[in-house]
Amino acid sequence: MPYFLLAQVVVGVVSGGVNALASLPLSLVAYVVALPLAAVSAVFPLVRPMSVAAVRALCGVPEERLASGPGRSWAARGRASVWWTLHLGVGALVSGMTLAVPPMAVMLVVLPVVSALRKPPVGLGWFGTQAPLYVAPFAGVGLLAGLGLCAVGAGALLARVAPVLLGPTAADRLAAAEERTADLAVRNRLARELHDAVGHALSAVTLQAGAARRVLDTDPEFVREALAAIEDTTRRTVGELDTVLGLLRDGDGVGGAGGGGEWSGAAPAPTLAADLEGLLARCRAAGIPITVRQDPGPVGDWGQLPAIVSREAYRIVQEGLTNALRHGGGPVDLRILVHDEGHGRGPRGEHDLLRELELSMTNPPAGPAGPAGPADATGREPRTGGGRGLRGSAERAALLGGRVEAGPRPDGHWHLRAVLPLGGTPR
């Protein structure tokens, strides 16, 4: 209606100041002039969301066949403009018919019993002189039926055309895929954090509690140390669990390109520099001997490691120790090295040096299965292959451009090796 009224004013002025509403030809001209006005105004981005909402509510088109959000490209805006013009053009015709046809249909239905309608000023005297009066009610009902068919046909046409003109473009599909990918990256990040933190804590606490139970009457000092380790492990894990659950509850994500950044608005994640000693102490308290060989190399101490590498390295070490607690049968040999490697030649022929952090962990397998099931005397399960934790470690390394290798060696010992570049940015 706003487009049509504006066009009526323009047509009336161009026609010499006449009232275009009083002339059917001029009204039709105004209708034609209003269509380009509607098309031009439809290039604004918000037109498409409005149109999509109307189609979802009125046309019964499945949601997945329609685009969401404003048009991101001129092609999408152009298609939305075509839809907007078609929608308003067809709707204007049906709207005009619904204003004119029902009163006429009522007059025709009551014409045989209301003689005043057959007088010349009304213009329905044709019935009764040129045609029988009983034809008028049928004509009125026919007009109403025709109006209904026109409305249904217009709705069917718009419902059929809507997915073509308002459906997602290639850019929309790409944007939706990128959004889903980012969401999955955040979910995977949260799943890795939950698995590593809670899984390690449960394994350590289970072994500590079992060891304390076995020596409860003979070694009270060891029991006190085990209970203290359990308390420390659970306190730390509750804090990490609260952090992750808070992120899930608030819908926040993780910075750093899909999994490498700081927790947004949360307590800092554990790092190799600040938390390695505590991790080793808790694992030793669970009854697993650990030999550590570490060499900070050219970067000095662990505090000078890139923060993201320090965080992901801690989680990889934690996962390796968790597997040793659950599946291993003997001492763990842990090596943490920082070294430089030749990496091709630079533009002037010199060797490029790639600084890398190498994590290496080796432990013997669990003993043979006993009568109670597949576990040795320590209660540890024999390893059957990599699970979610090792996949999570591989994902952590891949985000930094590194790699993780895990598997049994020829001598039967389980070996985990991770290499993390120190100079790159997370992928």
Side-chain angles (χ1 to χ4, degrees):
M1 186 60 70
Y3 301 112
F4 180 68
L5 291 178
L6 178 60
Q8 287 275 9
V9 174
V10 174
V11 171
V13 172
V14 173
S15 301
V18 301
N19 183 8
L21 287 173
S23 171
L24 179 60
L26 291 181
S27 295
L28 293 177
V29 172
Y31 170 80
V32 174
V33 172
L35 295 179
L37 296 177
V40 171
S41 67
V43 298
F44 289 98
L46 291 180
V47 170
R48 190 171 74 165
M50 293 171 53
S51 300
V52 168
V55 170
R56 288 173 178 168
L58 302 176
C59 295
V61 178
E63 184 173 352
E64 62 272 10
R65 300 184 62 189
L66 300 173
S68 60
R72 296 179 173 85
S73 63
W74 284 107
R77 297 183 187 182
R79 291 165 57 187
S81 176
V82 173
W83 159 264
W84 184 255
T85 306
L86 178 65
H87 176 200
L88 295 187
V90 174
L93 295 178
V94 175
S95 178
M97 292 169 60
T98 56
L99 291 174
V101 170
M104 175 61 70
V106 171
M107 293 176 64
L108 290 175
V109 169
V110 302
L111 183 62
V113 296
V114 181
S115 58
L117 297 177
R118 298 191 292 273
K119 294 180 180 180
V122 180
L124 296 179
W126 184 79
F127 292 96
T129 58
Q130 304 296 326
L133 282 176
Y134 65 83
V135 175
F138 292 101
V141 174
L143 285 176
L144 291 177
L147 175 61
L149 290 175
C150 288
V152 172
L157 171 65
L158 294 176
R160 180 178 291 272
V161 174
V164 178
L165 298 178
L166 297 178
T169 63
D172 295 324
R173 293 188 180 94
L174 179 60
E178 291 176 346
E179 184 177 351
R180 285 193 297 270
T181 301
D183 181 66
L184 287 175
V186 172
R187 290 175 180 269
N188 287 336
R189 170 68 170 173
L190 296 175
R192 288 197 300 269
E193 294 296 329
L194 281 174
H195 175 276
D196 291 353
V198 177
H200 171 79
L202 290 177
S203 298
V205 167
T206 299
L207 291 175
Q208 289 163 347
R213 177 180 55 81
R214 287 192 295 270
V215 298
L216 181 61
D217 298 325
T218 60
D219 193 349
E221 183 63 27
F222 178 83
V223 173
R224 280 192 291 269
E225 293 178 359
L227 291 177
I230 290 174
E231 180 183 6
D232 180 64
T233 300
T234 53
R235 182 184 296 112
R236 292 177 57 86
T237 305
V238 166
E240 294 185 37
L241 181 61
D242 184 66
T243 294
V244 178
L245 293 180
L247 293 173
L248 289 172
R249 200 177 301 118
D250 298 336
D252 295 334
V254 182
E262 295 280 4
W263 292 111
S264 175
T271 63
L272 197 67
D275 302 280
L276 177 62
E277 292 302 324
L279 175 64
L280 297 176
R282 291 190 296 274
C283 291
R284 288 177 176 130
I288 179 171
I290 303 175
T291 301
V292 181
R293 287 180 288 170
Q294 48 186 332
D295 176 16
V299 297
D301 58 60
W302 296 123
Q304 297 184 30
L305 287 175
I308 184 174
V309 176
S310 187
R311 286 192 298 271
E312 301 305 330
Y314 175 88
R315 289 303 192 191
I316 293 174
V317 171
Q318 184 185 53
E319 173 59 25
L321 293 176
T322 300
N323 286 335
L325 285 171
R326 294 177 59 190
H327 310 293
V332 176
D333 180 27
L334 173 63
R335 293 193 307 163
I336 307 176
L337 307 175
V338 176
H339 54 82
D340 295 337
E341 289 185 358
H343 189 66
R345 292 185 175 272
R348 290 174 295 185
E350 72 278 8
H351 283 281
D352 292 333
L353 293 180
L354 176 65
R355 294 195 306 170
E356 294 180 332
L357 174 67
E358 180 182 354
L359 310 171
S360 178
M361 195 177 308
T362 305
N363 63 277
D376 66 359
T378 64
R380 300 186 179 99
E381 304 170 4
R383 188 187 306 273
T384 58
R388 292 188 181 89
L390 290 179
R391 287 198 298 270
S393 297
E395 291 172 359
R396 292 178 185 277
L399 288 171
L400 301 177
R403 62 191 184 276
V404 168
E405 304 165 357
R409 296 192 314 190
D411 60 2
H413 286 56
W414 184 267
H415 181 67
L416 170 69
R417 179 175 181 267
V419 177
L420 307 178
L422 297 180
T425 56
R427 295 179 180 177

